[in-house]
Amino acid sequence: MAIKMCGIDASSKKTGMAFLNNGKLVHCGLLDFSSYTNREERMALMCNAILDKLDEQKPNILYIEDSWNAANVETTKLLTRILGVTYAWALKNNCEWNSILPSTWRKYCGIEQGKKKRAELKQASIDYVKQRYKIDVNDDVADAIALSDGVVNYFKLM
């Protein structure tokens, strides 16, 4: 049986998604709704786009970056909606659902964290993907790919 995994770096404006089959990257992309200023409209579009992509790719394991440490309460509320939407999709589609902290997946990708600022960590993900996959992606997609790789690397060590 193929292991089809989805990794998601969620945001209310730009969400990166990566899909792996048996640990190999097969698809990645960015859902970009940053041009929508109405938050409710943007969230509806984002959530529906995520659901459409999950329906299209049909993963059996889903990992999404945990949002408990978001910058502020409003951001946390928005990201919690996305967590709920992905959790509901997973329940309905017999898909294992997990959330993961950025510090955890970065550790298993070998991305040094220390006292680095957010921009440095984002660049480290971009560099990781460029080196490993020889592709140029933005930070959101890079985080989704690296998150997915971090999960695979963790399970390789078990």
Side-chain angles (χ1 to χ4, degrees), residues 11-22:
S11 164
S12 69
K13 294 182 180 178
K14 295 181 181 181
T15 291
M17 298 181 79
F19 295 89
L20 285 69
N21 285 353
N22 294 325

Side-chain angles (χ1 to χ4, degrees), residues 39-40 43-44 47 76-86:
R39 180 174 53 195
E40 292 305 316
M43 284 305 298
C47 289
T76 300
K77 285 197 242 181
L78 294 176
L79 294 176
T80 300
R81 290 184 193 182
I82 296 173
L83 288 170
V85 164
T86 60

Side-chain angles (χ1 to χ4, degrees), residues 8-103:
I8 301 175
D9 176 46
S11 164
S12 69
K13 294 182 180 178
K14 295 181 181 181
T15 291
M17 298 181 79
F19 295 89
L20 285 69
N21 285 353
N22 294 325
K24 298 197 184 319
L25 182 66
V26 295
H27 179 75
C28 62
L30 180 69
L31 304 174
D32 184 352
F33 295 99
S34 59
S35 64
Y36 290 82
T37 55
N38 181 295
R39 180 174 53 195
E40 292 305 316
E41 180 183 15
R42 187 176 67 239
M43 284 305 298
L45 291 166
M46 180 63 74
C47 289
N48 280 314
I50 290 169
L51 291 172
D52 288 346
K53 194 53 88 171
L54 292 172
D55 282 340
E56 174 189 302
Q57 295 292 323
K58 298 186 184 346
N60 48 32
I61 299 174
L62 189 150
Y63 274 83
I64 186 167
E65 191 172 82
D66 206 333
S67 64
W68 68 267
N69 198 21
N72 62 50
V73 173
E74 285 306 311
T75 301
T76 300
K77 285 197 242 181
L78 294 176
L79 294 176
T80 300
R81 290 184 193 182
I82 296 173
L83 288 170
V85 164
T86 60
Y87 182 71
W89 186 92
L91 283 175
K92 188 174 181 182
N93 290 277
N94 197 29
C95 174
E96 179 185 323
W97 183 94
N98 304 275
S99 64
I100 187 169
L101 292 170
S103 58

